[in-house]
């Protein structure tokens, strides 16, 4: 009996270590079976995925891909965490957002959240939330020395901050124990509205000076990257804009007399967390590394270089249809935010895009973080993704690309100038246009909307929120194009009592047509067109009756290519003779194409087509109003 060496992975010690080239050879063999004759590095490249901003994700990473030392948590470059012990001893700060205008209802929701797991509050105040005069009522019964407050008051922040600080004094909270963020953000206001309200910049600087002198644990300013994300920007653009905005804030504060280190201590950075978990993890890690470099070259010491982060689950990814799926999206996003090292995490309720959340939605939102912290134990390990060759490389790639974008903004005169001159809006719009094309072609699927839609779902109705600030960068959602189609269908249903329909004319046995019936059904439902699959299968003699019974003039042939060769032309002709105004065929039958067009097929629909264009035209053919 031969004993294996007691070192390394002992159970595999007698086997030779495979090489990267051997793995590439196996990949090439798999690809050849699918008709792709590539080898070596080209085989690996064939499995790579292109991301935005020219970045690429490869199928395999090794130690050779890892960049330099990421350091230790709490030490420069802070990639692995801004503090030695992680965001908080028990995980991250669970920060719930409130945006109701009624102080009494806000107070009821606030107390409920704090009693059930929320550890800090994010309050919209002023035009976008509770009135400044109602802040005391909204916070009645809240232990302000225990629950940090983050304000979001837009251009009303001077009055809102004065009122909050008055409440701290009135309730005898020692100034050294006041924690939170006052939320002054003149640059974010410019991004959202396109306006620079006179005096806001000086008011923010004055507030920062007061916090530095009197409230050592309170931050005055927020560097909010959400406007860039919500305008369709990429992760790289979000990072670069946040750096440029942060540098602009440093200039303002140091010009007002604060030291660089004191100015850094007055900033909290806000980022979006999406369901692309690895990209979110890498983005938050890269953000700390990038800001550490900015702080270093600006002259800040280690204490000022650690970026404080507030992560908010993305509103761009959340859908208005099948909103329950948003619970899954926000779970993945909040997990990524926690793993990425965010200090505070806000999970937006699943009904966020529909209006003001109800109690159930708020409960699920806060419990999402609670489960991740208390039951999944994510807070027990600092930077759990650290050391992953993929995450480390993605972090490095994001950092370099974001630094290049940041430098371009600085060459254009800085963040304010780039916003005024349209540079940022232009770049974000180009990125969103490219992504919109992928969404329209369903290459970026949206579950419950472009994939697996539920046409018969009951609508979820919520109270109308206060109007959001407008006039600056736009606000987009992944479901925008499909939502417009579904809204047309809803209006048609309301006016006629029936949805627009399409007959799925399935040919041959179920084994032949099921795959394409499923494809066509999902396609048309994503645009609000109800599929009628009755009878289960048709032929040239029964197609006319099926069309008449369906109550529509649109039909889509569904089967496999061999059955198409035998029956499609005759069935298409029968449908046209029966009054079909447009006949689709699911798939691309190749050599049969011209024959099918002559027989009456008007359009071929397949994976990768512009679904939004196809569906918009289908609604037009059915006379559905725009």
């Amino acid at each position: 009996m031969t004993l294996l060496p007691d070192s390394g992975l002992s159970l595999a010690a007698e086997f030779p270590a495979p090489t990267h080239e051997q793995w590439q050879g196996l990949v090439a063999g798999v690809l050849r079976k699918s008709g792709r004759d590539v080898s070596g590095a080209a085989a690996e490249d064939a499995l790579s995925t292109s991301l935005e901003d020219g970045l690429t994700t490869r199928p395999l990473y090794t130690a050779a891909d890892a960049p330099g030392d990421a350091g230790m948590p709490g030490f420069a470059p802070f990639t692995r965490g801004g503090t030695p012990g992680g965001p908080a001893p028990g995980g991250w700060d669970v920060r719930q957002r409130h945006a109701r205008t009624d102080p009494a209802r806000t107070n009821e929701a606030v107390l409920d959240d704090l009693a059930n797991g929320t550890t800090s509050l994010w309050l919209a105040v002023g035009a976008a939330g509770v009135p400044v005069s109602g802040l005391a009522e909204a916070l009645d019964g809240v232990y302000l020395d225990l629950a940090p407050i983050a304000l979001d008051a837009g251009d009303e922040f001077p009055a809102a901050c004065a009122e909050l600080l008055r409440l701290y004094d009135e309730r005898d909270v020692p100034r050294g124990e006041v924690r939170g963020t006052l939320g002054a953000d003149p640059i974010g206001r410019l991004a959202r509205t396109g306006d620079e309200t006179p005096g806001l910049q000086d008011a923010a600087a004055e507030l920062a000076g007061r916090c530095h002198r009197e409230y050592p644990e309170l931050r005055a300013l927020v560097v909010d990257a959400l406007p860039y994300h919500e305008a369709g920007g990429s992760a790289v653009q979000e990072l670069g804009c946040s750096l440029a905005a942060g540098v602009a804030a440093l200039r303002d504060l140091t010009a007002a007399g604060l030291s660089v280190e004191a100015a850094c201590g007055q900033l909290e950075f806000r980022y979006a967390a999406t369901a692309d978990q690895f990209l979110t993890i890498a983005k938050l890690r890269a953000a700390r590394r990038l800001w550490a470099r900015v702080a270093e070259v600006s002259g800040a010491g280690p204490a000022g270089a650690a970026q404080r982060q507030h992560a908010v689950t993305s509103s761009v990814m959340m859908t208005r249809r099948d909103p329950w799926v948003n619970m899954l999206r926000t779970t993945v996003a909040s997990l990524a935010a926690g793993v990425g090292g965010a200090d505070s995490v806000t999970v937006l309720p699943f009904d966020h895009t529909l209006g003001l959340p109800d109690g159930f939605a708020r409960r699920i939102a806060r419990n999402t973080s609670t489960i991740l912290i208390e039951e999944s134990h994510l807070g027990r390990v600092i930077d759990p993704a650290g050391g992953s060759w993929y995450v480390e490389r993605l972090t490095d790639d994001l950092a370099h690309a974001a630094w290049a974008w940041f430098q371009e903004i600085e060459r254009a005169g800085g963040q304010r100038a780039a916003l005024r001159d349209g540079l940022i809006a232009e770049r974000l719009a180009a990125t969103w246009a490219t992504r919109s094309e992928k969404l329209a072609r369903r290459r970026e699927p949206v579950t419950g909307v472009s994939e697996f839609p539920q046409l018969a779902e009951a609508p979820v109705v919520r109270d109308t929120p206060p109007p959001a600030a407008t006039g600056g960068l736009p606000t987009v959602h992944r479901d925008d194009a499909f939502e417009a189609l579904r809204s047309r269908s809803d209006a048609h249903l309301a006016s006629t009592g029936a949805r627009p329909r399409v007959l799925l004319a399935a040919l041959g046995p179920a084994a032949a047509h099921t795959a394409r019936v499923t494809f066509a059904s999902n396609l048309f439902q994503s645009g609000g067109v109800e599929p009628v699959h009755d009878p289960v299968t048709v032929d040239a003699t029964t197609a006319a009756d099926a069309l008449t019974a369906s109550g529509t003039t649109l039909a889509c042939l569904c089967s496999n290519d061999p059955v198409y060769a035998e029956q499609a032309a005759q069935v298409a002709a029968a449908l046209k003779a029966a009054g079909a105004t447009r006949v689709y065929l699911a798939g691309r039958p190749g050599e049969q194409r011209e024959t099918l067009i002559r027989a009456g097929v008007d359009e071929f629909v397949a994976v990768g087509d512009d679904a939004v264009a196809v569906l918009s035209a289908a609604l037009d053919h059915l006379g559905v109003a725009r």
Side-chain angles (χ1 to χ4, degrees):
M1 179 177 178
T2 302
L3 295 178
L4 298 176
D6 188 22
S7 63
L9 183 60
S10 59
L11 293 179
E14 62 184 15
F15 296 97
T19 66
H20 197 167
E21 290 72 21
Q22 287 176 308
W23 173 78
Q24 289 176 339
L26 293 177
V27 170
V30 173
L31 291 174
R32 275 194 293 272
K33 294 178 182 178
S34 61
R36 305 174 70 179
D37 190 11
V38 290
S39 60
E44 186 170 353
D45 291 342
L47 297 182
S48 297
T49 302
S50 296
L51 307 178
E52 293 173 317
D53 304 296
L55 304 184
T56 300
T57 297
R58 299 205 305 276
L60 183 70
Y61 288 82
T62 68
D65 296 301
D69 184 11
M72 297 295 289
F75 295 89
F78 301 101
T79 305
R80 305 203 67 189
T83 59
W92 53 88
D93 169 30
V94 180
R95 182 175 293 178
Q96 193 91 320
R97 179 172 172 80
H98 294 268
R100 287 193 176 274
T101 59
D102 182 352
R105 294 190 66 183
T106 298
N107 179 253
E108 179 184 354
V110 159
L111 294 177
D112 181 54
D113 281 344
L114 291 173
N116 291 283
T118 294
T119 54
S120 71
L121 302 172
W122 183 16
L123 296 180
V125 181
V130 65
V132 173
S133 60
L135 191 56
E137 182 180 356
L139 294 176
D140 184 36
V142 175
Y143 294 103
L144 295 179
D145 54 339
L146 300 179
I149 306 295
L151 292 182
D152 183 359
D155 59 2
E156 296 181 62
F157 76 79
C161 295
E163 175 65 5
L164 181 62
L165 294 179
R166 186 192 68 79
L167 289 176
Y168 283 123
D169 287 341
E170 182 181 274
R171 300 183 188 181
D172 297 322
V173 179
R175 293 189 173 186
E177 296 180 14
V178 173
R179 294 170 295 132
T181 305
L182 296 180
D185 186 19
I187 297 174
R189 181 70 179 171
L190 171 62
R192 290 194 183 277
T193 67
D195 295 329
E196 291 185 88
T197 304
L200 283 189
Q201 183 176 327
D202 292 339
E206 182 180 347
L207 187 64
R210 183 181 178 189
C211 287
H212 175 64
R213 294 188 302 271
E214 303 176 24
Y215 300 90
E217 300 299 322
L218 185 64
R219 295 173 186 253
L221 274 70
V222 166
V223 179
D224 193 356
L226 296 187
Y228 316 108
H229 169 77
E230 291 172 359
S234 66
V236 164
Q237 290 168 333
E238 185 184 350
L239 285 173
C241 286
S242 75
L243 283 185
V247 167
L250 282 187
R251 292 185 178 122
D252 293 344
L253 298 184
T254 53
L258 270 71
S259 69
V260 173
E261 187 145 337
C264 287
Q266 290 301 308
L267 305 181
E268 178 176 272
F269 287 74
R270 184 175 294 145
Y271 295 102
T274 74
D276 188 335
Q277 62 176 349
F278 290 113
L279 192 63
T280 295
I281 293 167
K283 179 174 69 177
L284 295 174
R285 299 173 88 249
R288 290 193 296 271
R289 173 180 167 185
L290 289 166
W291 185 247
R293 178 58 177 158
V294 167
E296 177 188 17
V297 298
S298 299
Q307 185 185 75
R308 185 167 185 83
Q309 295 178 335
H310 174 203
V312 183
T313 57
S314 166
S315 63
V316 176
M317 72 178 179
M318 300 178 78
T319 62
R320 286 155 279 197
R321 307 290 170 158
D322 202 1
W324 318 102
V325 181
N326 292 329
M327 297 182 195
L328 308 179
R329 295 186 178 100
T330 55
T331 298
V332 176
S334 54
L335 181 149
V339 172
D343 299 282
S344 302
V345 178
T346 295
V347 177
L348 295 179
F350 74 89
D351 52 2
H352 174 76
T353 55
L354 298 172
L356 294 170
D358 65 3
F360 170 74
R362 290 198 331 274
R363 176 167 64 88
I364 295 299
R366 64 179 180 254
N367 282 350
T368 299
S369 280
T370 300
I371 289 172
L372 292 173
I373 294 170
E374 301 293 342
E375 298 188 26
S376 296
H377 309 301
L378 284 186
R380 291 186 179 180
V381 178
I382 303 169
D383 189 28
S388 160
W389 297 320
Y390 168 44
V391 172
E392 298 292 1
R393 172 51 57 188
L394 185 57
T395 299
D396 192 62
D397 289 346
L398 282 173
H400 281 88
W403 189 261
W405 169 231
F406 159 65
Q407 290 179 312
E408 185 175 352
I409 294 173
E410 287 294 288
R411 286 193 296 269
Q415 185 74 354
R416 287 189 175 92
L419 284 168
R420 292 192 208 102
D421 298 343
L423 170 64
I424 290 174
E426 178 184 333
R427 293 297 179 82
L428 299 183
T431 297
W432 181 245
T434 300
R435 190 176 179 191
S436 295
E437 178 74 9
K438 294 179 181 178
L439 288 162
R441 295 183 178 277
R442 303 195 296 174
R443 297 192 184 281
E444 181 182 334
V446 183
T447 305
V449 177
S450 65
E451 301 288 344
F452 314 114
Q454 301 291 324
L455 197 56
E457 67 174 321
V460 176
V461 179
R462 293 290 184 264
D463 293 341
T464 303
T470 59
L473 297 174
T475 300
V476 301
H477 297 88
R478 290 199 307 160
D479 65 351
D480 279 342
F482 289 96
E483 178 62 25
L485 297 171
R486 292 287 293 272
S487 294
R488 289 176 66 184
S489 173
D490 289 349
H492 187 77
L493 173 63
S495 63
T496 67
R499 287 201 181 275
R501 294 178 176 180
V502 61
L503 171 67
L504 301 186
L507 313 181
H513 68 236
T514 295
R516 280 176 171 157
V517 164
T518 301
F519 162 78
S521 179
N522 276 327
L523 170 67
F524 285 104
Q525 286 188 88
S526 69
V529 181
E530 180 183 350
V532 178
H533 186 200
D534 184 28
V536 174
T537 186
V538 301
D539 55 29
T541 62
T542 60
D545 290 340
L547 183 69
T548 301
S550 70
T552 185
T553 59
L554 261 59
C556 182
L557 304 178
C558 302
S559 195
N560 59 23
D561 291 351
V563 174
Y564 282 154
E566 296 174 359
Q567 301 183 35
Q570 295 90 333
V571 175
L575 289 168
K576 277 299 181 83
T581 58
R582 194 158 190 84
V583 175
Y584 301 90
L585 184 141
R588 296 190 178 95
E591 296 178 358
Q592 306 171 49
R593 182 182 180 86
E594 294 304 320
T595 299
L596 292 169
I597 291 174
R598 288 194 296 271
V601 173
D602 299 290
E603 189 169 357
F604 300 88
V605 291
V607 174
D609 288 346
D610 188 335
V612 171
V614 169
L615 295 166
S616 182
L619 293 175
D620 290 343
H621 285 297
L622 290 170
V624 177
R626 287 182 176 268

